[in-house]
Amino acid sequence: MSMEENAVRDNFKEILDSTVIRNYDSPDENNAKIKTFCKKVQELKPKSLFRYRNYNNDTVDAFKNDLVVSSKPADFNDPFDCLIQVDPDDIINEITNPKNRWKLQKWLDYNPKLVEIIPKKNLKRINALLTMKDTTYSNFIQKRMPQFRKHVLQVIKQAKGFLRTYPHIACFSETPTSPPMWAHYADLHKGFVLEYDFKDYFTPCLNCKNTCIFRHYELLYPVIYTKTRFNAKDFFSSYWSHVILMNAPVNVFIPKDDELAIYKTLIHKSKDWEYEKEWRIISHCEAYPMIKQRPIAIYLGAQMEDSNKNHLIQIAKKLKIKIFIMDIDITSPEYKMTPKECKSYRI
């Protein structure tokens, strides 16, 4: 990856790390943060992004209908991708620290309806926890530590399953000429690549109908490549709160210290994958989400069958987009693939 490309991702990481959107802050404050965040991410986008595809009925139909169909992380080829990483001891130490009891108080403050239905006996115990001396609180927690640890480990396992099966992600690359990408994601060079202009992209998936709470955020991010895994402690904290309160008999408000925590968790990958130069559209729809976006060009694999090439060329002709065929120059000493524009409409 070039220094310029690294600079873009480093810049994005700095923007992402410095942006914290708490759902309990004022709407005006959060809207200003969101607007600034989206504007900065927009400015980092490359002119084009490319999507590697196998040739099959589903991918051809999606191409024909201008659809970008996402996938679940569980279907990705990297077992570390979107895999939660948290240290149970860190979680336990943070939650059992007497100085962090204000978070429990915050739950109660934002949920008066929930407080009203909590049995008086239980509410009395909660209030006692909030007011007891630090040493008394620590002793209280220590006696219940085995049971507490078991619960934390159980929720970590649930969070792992959630991140692997609930979000939907569409993956893109900054280049259409990567031989390993053609091999891994385009059926050994027998598939195709679609080029998209996402410079002005700011569209929720087709299923959202402007009701999804995540529609406010920029949905297209560059992947951040790191040597060590991303600590998803902030995401886990919100997820655990959700697990605890999800079956409450009244509507509850779950205070979140960072609405972007899940995005931060889903866009970190090992440096081993840096050659992919990946960007991601991330969706949280419960339905299988699709993005409506017409490509601006198609690139046909160097080893694609002629019948498949002809089929895609006819579709591309109807869509009025450019057509390229990947060429390997046998006279060149470089391991380089070159896209050559196809002026005729039949192979």
Side-chain angles (χ1 to χ4, degrees):
M1 191 175 291
S2 70
M3 290 181 62
E4 183 178 347
E5 289 164 341
N6 277 327
V8 167
R9 292 172 195 274
D10 290 344
N11 193 358
F12 171 71
K13 185 178 185 305
E14 186 176 326
I15 293 167
L16 190 64
D17 290 346
S18 63
T19 304
V20 177
I21 300 173
R22 295 176 283 264
N23 67 344
Y24 49 85
D25 287 340
S26 74
D28 288 344
E29 181 181 348
N30 278 340
N31 286 337
K33 285 183 181 179
I34 293 165
K35 186 176 180 180
T36 300
F37 173 73
C38 292
K39 183 176 182 295
K40 288 181 178 179
V41 177
Q42 282 275 8
E43 292 170 352
L44 294 177
K45 289 179 189 173
K47 184 178 179 181
S48 294
L49 286 169
F50 303 86
R51 187 156 162 82
Y52 288 77
R53 313 304 290 148
N54 291 338
Y55 182 98
N56 57 48
N57 290 337
D58 291 336
T59 57
V60 172
D61 284 345
F63 167 48
K64 193 185 302 183
N65 293 292
D66 301 333
L67 294 177
V68 176
V69 181
S70 57
S71 302
K72 295 180 181 180
D75 297 326
F76 292 171
N77 58 357
D78 176 12
F80 289 98
D81 205 336
C82 303
L83 182 68
I84 191 171
Q85 188 272 311
V86 289
D87 184 339
D89 290 330
D90 280 351
I91 299 296
I92 291 171
N93 290 337
E94 181 171 318
I95 296 174
T96 59
N97 187 335
K99 292 181 172 57
N100 289 331
R101 280 182 284 178
W102 62 270
K103 293 186 177 181
L104 175 57
Q105 183 64 60
K106 189 166 61 177
W107 272 12
L108 301 178
D109 292 343
Y110 283 104
N111 288 287
K113 291 183 178 179
L114 183 63
V115 173
E116 289 176 5
I117 64 171
I118 294 176
K120 290 183 178 180
K121 185 179 179 180
N122 293 347
L123 189 59
K124 188 175 180 180
R125 289 176 180 171
I126 293 172
N127 288 327
L129 282 174
L130 292 171
T131 56
M132 66 178 53
K133 293 181 180 179
D134 287 356
T135 52
T136 307
Y137 178 85
S138 296
N139 291 334
F140 176 87
I141 293 296
Q142 285 300 323
K143 289 179 181 178
R144 293 157 178 79
M145 187 60 74
Q147 184 179 354
F148 190 63
R149 173 177 286 276
K150 182 179 178 181
H151 179 64
V152 169
L153 292 174
Q154 182 182 2
V155 178
I156 289 175
K157 186 176 180 180
Q158 288 179 244
K160 171 189 171 183
F162 174 85
L163 285 177
R164 297 286 285 174
T165 58
Y166 182 64
H168 289 79
I169 298 173
C171 305
F172 303 83
S173 173
E174 294 176 20
T175 175
T177 60
S178 167
M181 295 282 283
W182 276 98
H184 294 161
Y185 304 110
D187 193 20
L188 305 175
H189 300 258
K190 292 180 283 189
F192 59 100
V193 166
L194 297 174
E195 179 180 0
Y196 294 90
D197 178 2
F198 280 130
K199 197 62 181 175
D200 296 320
Y201 173 77
F202 188 64
T203 308
C205 75
L206 296 181
N207 297 321
C208 278
K209 297 178 182 177
N210 294 323
T211 59
C212 177
I213 61 169
F214 293 99
R215 70 187 184 279
H216 300 292
Y217 302 111
E218 176 62 55
L219 300 176
L220 180 61
Y221 305 112
V223 167
I224 298 171
Y225 299 102
T226 56
K227 291 182 179 179
T228 57
R229 295 174 63 197
F230 178 75
N231 189 330
K233 184 171 65 175
D234 288 341
F235 163 74
F236 178 79
S237 178
S238 296
Y239 182 81
W240 194 26
S241 298
H242 172 75
V243 169
I244 292 172
L245 296 174
M246 64 187 297
N247 293 320
V250 294
N251 290 331
V252 294
F253 177 85
I254 300 175
K256 295 181 181 179
D257 295 326
D258 189 1
E259 289 273 26
L260 293 175
I262 188 168
Y263 293 100
K264 294 174 181 178
T265 302
L266 295 173
I267 59 171
H268 284 78
K269 288 185 72 171
S270 166
K271 271 190 172 289
D272 292 334
W273 299 90
E274 199 171 33
Y275 69 91
E276 292 187 345
K277 303 177 181 179
E278 186 180 349
W279 287 65
R280 291 182 162 181
I281 292 176
I282 300 175
S283 173
H284 294 263
C285 288
E286 292 184 9
Y288 202 74
M290 295 179 288
I291 307 295
K292 187 80 171 178
Q293 189 82 6
R294 174 163 295 188
I296 60 174
I298 185 170
Y299 299 73
L300 308 178
Q303 304 203 57
M304 178 178 273
E305 295 179 10
D306 286 347
S307 59
N308 294 342
K309 283 183 180 179
N310 285 325
H311 186 198
L312 293 180
I313 286 172
Q314 296 310 312
I315 296 172
K317 181 181 177 182
K318 291 179 181 178
L319 296 177
K320 299 180 180 179
I321 65 173
K322 289 186 176 181
I323 304 163
F324 296 88
I325 297 177
M326 301 306 297
D327 178 68
I328 301 176
D329 184 358
I330 61 173
T331 67
S332 172
E334 297 182 274
Y335 292 101
K336 186 177 179 181
M337 305 178 68
T338 306
K340 292 192 173 180
E341 189 167 1
C342 176
K343 297 296 184 180
S344 64
Y345 291 112
R346 191 157 191 88
I347 302 300

